Amino acid sequence: PDVGAPVLKQSGLHPKPAGLVLQYGTAGFRTNAKKLDHIMFRMGLLATLRSRKTKATIGVMVTASHNPEEDNGVKLIDPMGEMVTPTWEGYATQLANAEQEDLLTALKDVIEKEAIDMSQEADVFVGKDTRSSSASLSQAVMDGVSALGGHNYGLVTTPQLHYMVCCQNTKGKYGDATVEGYYSKLYQAFIQLTKSKHLSVDGANGIGALKVREMEAHLKKELQISLFNDGSKGKLNHQCGADFVKVQQKPPTGVEMNPGERCCSFDGDADRIVYYFIDSEGQFHLLDGDKIATLISTFLKELLTQAGVDLKMGAVQTAYANGSSTRYLEDTMQVIVRCTKTGVKHLHHAAQEFDIGVYFEANGHGTVLFSKAAEEIIQHLAEDANINDERKRAARMLQNTINVINQTVGDAIADMLLIEAILAIKGMTIQQWDSIYSDLPNRQLKVKVADRRVIDTADAERRAVSPAGLQDAIDSLVKKYRKARSFVRPSGTEDVVRVYAEAETQESADDLAHKVSLAVYRLAGGVGGEPKQLL
Ligand SMILES: CC(=O)N[C@H]1[C@@H](OP(=O)(O)O)O[C@H](CO)[C@@H](O)[C@@H]1O
Ligand SMILES: [Mg+2]
């Protein structure tokens, strides 16, 4: 078919200013928008030739990228979404600089040189940026493409047009050739990559599961939760839940765990939370209340430093806190650590003594308390116009931290969100969190006695003052193991005496716990059979 007539007719509407010479440069033609109308039209023509030659869709992007608004530009995109091949950059320059009356000759020259079959179909994708000149200039490109089946994408980023050209020519293999397709491809991949935003929650078949379900809609994209033991079939706290996981030191049933993936367990009324994961060797790792307290304390301390505020921060624990956690908090973090009797009311009370009091029982019940004064200082700082951005950012972060925390009592849901936020902000994996310090192996046992009130304790329950001889027996047993510690106390919630032991190895901790149990049984009126050695 003869290309002459339609081209001549249309090109008259996009005349070239005589003598104007432009080069196809680094990224196509680029200059003041007023000089580009004929260039656009001609690039439309050239794109159809390139499309016929390659038997593929070609892209034309109208933009001058980072240049000032009054500039514009145009570049061609080859079939796989790459920049047009250099030979064709040469044709582009020739076509752009042919005077009006020489245009047909210049065009025929390209057709001949490239032996282009003009009966071949052509397909051109045109895109433009937001410059005021882009609308009319992209129309000029379309005029050049004219009746040849061009597709105008309208406003797109440069890379989006490259992407869509490639999608079209790979028949969808690279993705869907639409802006929607571009978003959905990137987003899906992003979600996979940031799977760290995924958390498996063991709801202990309790109320926490129901409430997590309710809250899920609020979290949707920010945190993907897989809820297990949601109460639809299993029994409350049976082989699952925070207490089971903490005491048994093993995963709950009913939770699908993949190596390295974060999991957490609530207890039956959702005021406790513990985290855990299995590593690539299948080894179970528990991150209990002590590890949670350490993570939160570290985070808060860093923010206080960044905000440049001097507030007294303290951590409150019980005798059940792992010895490694206490050492880490005191020695490495230089945080004041208090030890109170078991029971949240005691910890809460002690935490009120600080500007910021972080309290957690090892079993995962805990929260953070901020004094009124501390809250005010943080709020003023967050609103202070005279401080630098780093300090302000930290102050605002502290403010949001205060708001995500339930200061009235330990709260599995609130603690979970705070922990997830800290891990995300610090870009920390659960493995990295776990490796802040290593727990001393430990064991908790229960001993049945006729009347557990015969045991009296002192020193935040770390020493038994009655019955006579019990503490001496514990002391001499503890001496036999490295890094060992043990104590006993009557439970406040069950009719048992609780025994706790920790030592350098699990074997030692188990052995020590067993021997202390025997001492309790013998000296404090044990009932039923003698405590058995753990297998
Ligand atoms: C070793 C242990 O976990 N003890 C628990 C348990 O108290 P006992 O007094 O140990 O039975 O239940 C309390 C209430 O939930 C909790 O605050 C406490 O931490
Ligand atoms: Mg509870």
Side-chain angles (χ1 to χ4, degrees):
D2 178 30
V3 291
V7 169
L8 273 183
K9 186 164 162 257
Q10 288 280 339
S11 76
L13 299 172
H14 303 283
K16 173 182 178 295
L20 177 63
V21 176
L22 294 169
Q23 289 284 328
Y24 195 100
T26 321
F29 295 99
R30 204 176 280 192
T31 184
N32 187 285
K34 293 200 180 92
K35 297 181 188 161
L36 284 169
D37 185 65
H38 67 294
I39 299 279
M40 296 293 165
F41 173 75
R42 292 167 185 210
M43 287 310 103
L45 293 176
L46 189 66
T48 62
L49 296 187
R50 182 72 184 146
S51 173
R52 287 185 166 120
K53 170 76 187 187
T54 57
K55 300 186 173 59
T57 298
I58 294 298
V60 180
M61 184 69 195
V62 177
T63 180
S65 179
H66 56 276
N67 287 38
E69 212 276 339
E70 54 276 17
D71 283 0
N72 216 326
V74 60
K75 67 171 181 178
L76 300 189
I77 299 167
D78 252 2
M80 294 313 286
E82 72 279 43
M83 304 293 180
V84 76
T85 192
T87 331
W88 281 70
E89 290 189 357
Y91 298 150
T93 302
Q94 281 166 30
L95 220 55
N97 295 323
E99 294 304 334
Q100 200 61 18
E101 58 277 15
D102 303 328
L103 178 58
L104 263 186
T105 320
L107 205 58
K108 281 179 177 153
D109 189 44
V110 178
I111 295 169
E112 255 164 50
K113 271 192 187 137
E114 293 289 327
I116 291 166
D117 172 5
M118 291 301 283
S119 63
Q120 180 72 36
E121 277 193 43
D123 190 19
V124 179
F125 282 6
V126 181
K128 62 165 191 254
D129 73 9
T130 55
R131 290 180 154 75
S132 52
S133 59
S134 289
S136 65
L137 290 179
S138 69
Q139 187 49 53
V141 175
M142 288 302 286
D143 287 353
V145 176
S146 68
L148 293 168
H151 183 114
N152 196 337
Y153 271 91
L155 288 168
V156 284
T157 68
T158 298
Q160 282 175 334
L161 190 66
H162 283 257
Y163 163 89
M164 288 189 289
V165 167
C166 180
C167 291
Q168 182 72 5
N169 290 318
T170 53
K171 307 220 160 23
K173 273 211 188 98
Y174 197 66
D176 210 26
T178 59
V179 177
E180 237 352 278
Y182 169 88
Y183 295 137
S184 101
K185 180 181 173 182
L186 266 59
Y187 183 67
Q188 294 303 325
F190 174 77
I191 288 294
Q192 290 303 316
L193 281 173
T194 54
K195 248 204 165 149
S196 55
K197 289 196 169 177
H198 176 266
L199 176 67
S200 296
V201 179
D202 159 22
N205 293 315
I207 181 68
L210 301 183
K211 295 300 155 183
V212 164
R213 262 282 129 74
E214 239 173 64
M215 198 182 53
E216 255 185 322
H218 291 274
L219 298 173
K220 262 287 162 344
K221 283 168 190 161
E222 303 311 320
L223 178 64
Q224 287 179 281
I225 289 179
S226 299
L227 182 60
F228 299 96
N229 298 327
D230 64 356
S232 57
K233 40 187 194 289
K235 235 171 92 182
L236 180 70
N237 292 333
H238 181 66
Q239 307 275 330
C240 63
D243 198 66
F244 172 86
V245 173
K246 166 69 180 162
V247 176
Q248 303 297 319
Q249 304 181 33
K250 62 184 185 199
T253 56
V255 177
E256 285 163 32
M257 291 176 69
N258 296 312
E261 268 182 24
R262 279 200 310 289
C263 306
C264 66
S265 284
F266 291 9
D267 74 337
D269 61 351
D271 60 4
R272 289 192 202 175
I273 186 170
V274 293
Y275 271 73
Y276 45 90
F277 68 99
I278 45 166
D279 62 25
S280 47
E281 264 95 64
Q283 177 94 27
F284 175 76
H285 296 258
L286 174 68
L287 293 94
D288 61 3
D290 304 333
K291 292 239 162 160
I292 293 172
T294 309
L295 180 73
I296 296 175
S297 304
T298 308
F299 178 67
L300 289 174
K301 209 176 167 198
E302 284 167 4
L303 286 183
L304 290 173
T305 307
Q306 285 164 22
V309 278
D310 186 23
L311 291 171
K312 196 168 99 177
M313 192 170 88
V316 185
Q317 304 185 314
T318 69
Y320 291 100
N322 196 278
S324 294
S325 74
T326 314
R327 271 191 51 186
Y328 183 82
L329 284 164
E330 282 182 334
D331 300 350
T332 309
M333 285 196 60
Q334 310 268 314
V335 166
I336 308 158
V337 179
R338 289 276 143 75
C339 183
T340 71
K341 286 188 192 171
T342 299
V344 173
K345 57 187 177 192
H346 302 294
L347 288 100
H348 192 96
H349 192 71
Q352 286 172 329
E353 300 294 308
F354 301 98
D355 294 323
I356 301 177
V358 180
Y359 76 79
F360 270 88
E361 290 192 299
N363 61 33
H365 188 138
T367 187
V368 186
L369 303 185
F370 293 82
S371 70
K372 261 249 122 1
E375 285 197 9
E376 274 167 22
I377 289 169
I378 290 164
Q379 183 170 344
H380 280 139
L381 209 60
E383 288 160 8
D384 190 341
N386 300 315
I387 60 165
N388 67 35
D389 287 354
E390 196 212 351
R391 289 186 66 193
K392 180 156 281 178
R393 187 181 152 275
R396 295 216 168 124
M397 209 102 114
L398 281 166
Q399 248 186 339
N400 286 321
T401 304
I402 292 172
N403 288 332
V404 81
I405 285 166
N406 184 345
Q407 295 194 52
T408 60
V409 75
D411 179 334
I413 291 176
D415 290 340
M416 173 183 83
L417 293 182
L418 176 60
I419 292 162
E420 291 300 310
I422 294 173
L423 295 178
I425 291 163
K426 293 173 77 75
M428 212 177 193
T429 63
I430 192 164
Q431 292 87 341
Q432 288 168 330
W433 171 21
D434 189 40
S435 65
I436 291 179
Y437 66 82
S438 303
D439 271 326
L440 280 171
N442 59 89
R443 179 64 61 197
Q444 262 193 63
L445 297 174
K446 301 177 190 181
V447 184
K448 285 203 182 315
V449 296
D451 180 3
R452 65 192 201 276
R453 286 172 304 180
V454 301
I455 296 183
D456 257 332
T457 63
D459 190 18
E461 304 176 325
R462 288 173 289 194
R463 296 188 61 77
V465 290
S466 75
L470 180 55
Q471 188 58 48
D472 288 343
I474 295 172
D475 287 344
S476 62
L477 286 168
V478 165
K479 271 193 205 124
K480 295 179 182 156
Y481 303 87
R482 290 160 62 90
K483 296 191 183 168
R485 186 169 70 88
S486 181
F487 67 92
V488 304
R489 54 173 281 280
S491 162
T493 62
E494 292 173 61
D495 189 11
V496 295
V497 174
R498 292 196 198 281
V499 172
Y500 177 88
E502 65 184 31
E504 195 171 42
T505 66
Q506 189 63 54
E507 219 187 352
S508 304
D510 288 349
D511 200 42
L512 176 57
H514 172 66
K515 296 218 164 88
V516 171
S517 298
L518 281 175
V520 169
Y521 184 86
R522 286 169 194 156
L523 297 166
V527 296
E530 266 197 356
K532 297 252 174 358
Q533 177 84 44
L534 249 115
L535 292 178

